[in-house]
Amino acid sequence: MWLIKEVFYQRKRHYLTITAICISIILVLLVNIISGYIIDNVNYSFEQLGLNINCIQLLKNRKDNWIDFIIEDCRIEKYSRYNKKQERDYKIIGCDSDLSQVFTFEFESGSFLNKTSNMYNDNQVVIGNKLKHYFNCYQIDESININGITFRVVGILKKESRNLYEEFDDCIFVFNDYVTDYNHCGLYFVSESRFDDRYLNEFLGKDNYLFVDQSQTKESLNSLLKLIRNVLMVLSFVSVGIAIISLVNNTLNNIYTRMKEIGIKKALGASSKDIYIQFILENMIIFLIGILISLIVVFSVVKVINISLKNKIAIDLSDNVKYIVLILTAGSICNIYPAKKASEITIIETIKNREFS
Amino acid sequence: MIRLDKVVKKYLIGSKELLALNYLDLKLEENCFVAIVGVSGCGKSTLLNVIAGYDDIDYGSYYFRDENVNKFSEEKKLELIKSIGVIFQDFNLLDYLTVKENILLATRYMKGKNDLQQIIFKLDIADILNKYPNQLSGGQKQRVAIARCLITNKKIILADEPTGSLDNENALKIMEIFEKLNNEGISIVIVTHDINIATRCKKIIRMENGRVVN
Ligand SMILES: Nc1ncnc2c1ncn2[C@@H]1O[C@H](COP(=O)(O)OP(=O)(O)OP(=O)(O)O)[C@@H](O)[C@H]1O
Ligand SMILES: [Mg+2]
């Protein structure tokens, strides 16, 4: 109780150090929380896209049933064939109905191509959102004309619908059967583990295909984000170091301006240990005040940021507590030296130096 | 109660030795009321610092209640410091504490607390309890310093020019308090330049060049 009061009495002395400590702790916590949030969110987005979707795209046409071979040899269960035809104002993607199992599409209205329905003979298409205007077709079950063939629109995708590889706003999905001119022919498939592309090299020839692996993309993006996060963490810990140095320096300087205090206390019977403990605890209280203010600031900043976020940032206290404890310990350890110096001051020194205090 | 035998306290000034206490012998009885006088630089403050246990001596021995202080451990030294109250001319109070907090500061490091109300009454400081030292007059400050000695039951009070910065009226008021305390059984040792102050004590000890002369 005495101690808190004394720290408070001498608060002017501590303003700057507390500010420095606050800034550095706020930096550490915010970097940790926000970078954690970004990394989580990226991973979450990947998961939403579907786990480990891989894409093999043929760069040279082949005559054989290469897709079937790969599916069989690699025991791929979830997959979809697709062909892509490039047009001026829209892309035609020929696919099978399994594509909706590999990707999750979001629909404004309607649903995906349905091979098992009675209407199979009906020419079905799903169109991207932009093409509503292009074809003047704003509802499902309306008909549109593509290259002289009439199709029935069974689904309109949501605006900005996309997966990792494509934006779908200007895409038309039709069944493979209707695509005659195959420039590119490819396979989307889901694999739990990382797909080994050595087999593809052997089978398709190294330069004849393009392979995109989502887990690979995810990993490289993740490692990049983690690198950025680590660099920022190191920088914020450097600022913590500077704050601690300034606190230690401040305490060391204070020893001489506080000689009178130390002398009077010792003359009243305070032992060196009492003084030592006082300095250590005082330093801790300063840190605790700093931590408290930092926490308040961090919580409010996160709250403010959260207003504009769809996925709210959640603060994982247990994760941040370890940093706080680390900072507190480092600060206390660094303060042992000045505290020891302060406790070693003798009454006689303070009496002789009283002109200065 | 206090006995100094051939005590030497040396200071090195450049390569020259200065004997601030020069084979000094001194005896102070229980419940004494002593004034120490002497020219500036004769070693009065040095002597007080030695008696209070603040300073070590280079030669001779210091007996406190028949125990040799030279051989005291850290803890016993602390006990000695705690049992002696010291009042300086102007080096007593912490500026950031109120009068009351300054007085109670002593109880933080020492067990046993006397009745604060009684002390406040005795020293007539009731109306300044919540003021800060820089809001006090010199005489008030000294009374607070005395109050702080009383709160923890000191048996000896050493005062280094307690009235040095006070006017006559305030100085006399402090002396009256000392007289009262002495009657209650507290030993009092005052260092002073003021002969009026010295003559109010029961005994005057004269110092010259680090020695007691009569
Ligand atoms: N730290 C020191 N280093 C060197 N010499 C010192 C030191 N402290 C005191 N002295 C010397 O010791 C002598 C005694 O000093 P002391 O302070 O005891 O004098 P004093 O009798 O109290 O004088 P005053 O009446 O002016 O207070 C002086 O000559 C002083 O110069
Ligand atoms: Mg002196």
Side-chain angles (χ1 to χ4, degrees), chain A residues 2 5-6 9-10 260-261 264-271 274 347-348 350-352 354 357, chain B residues 11 49 54-55 78 81-82 88 91-97 101 104-106 108-109 132 148:
Chain A
W2 268 104
K5 252 187 179 171
E6 272 196 18
Y9 290 137
Q10 303 177 13
K260 178 174 173 181
E261 177 195 338
I264 288 174
K265 282 180 176 166
K266 280 199 165 182
L268 290 176
S271 62
D274 290 328
I347 303 173
I348 203 78
T350 64
I351 293 173
K352 302 264 168 181
R354 73 180 136 193
S357 51
Chain B
Y11 286 115
N49 289 338
Y54 298 165
D55 221 348
L78 206 61
I81 289 174
K82 283 183 190 176
F88 294 102
F91 187 61
N92 296 305
L93 307 178
L94 291 184
D95 306 319
Y96 58 85
L97 298 182
E101 286 161 339
L104 291 176
L105 186 63
R108 210 157 132 190
Y109 304 108
Y132 285 91
R148 195 174 52 193

Side-chain angles (χ1 to χ4, degrees), chain A residues 34-47 51-52 164 213-231:
Chain A
I34 291 178
S35 62
Y37 170 78
I38 291 174
I39 290 173
D40 282 354
N41 232 17
V42 166
N43 286 333
Y44 176 69
S45 309
F46 270 95
E47 273 162 34
L51 194 73
N52 288 340
L164 190 62
D213 177 342
Q214 190 175 326
S215 68
Q216 202 178 324
T217 322
K218 182 173 149 184
E219 269 164 36
S220 61
L221 194 61
N222 254 332
S223 63
L224 180 73
L225 286 174
K226 276 184 184 145
L227 179 74
I228 294 173
R229 168 215 178 98
N230 288 344
V231 168

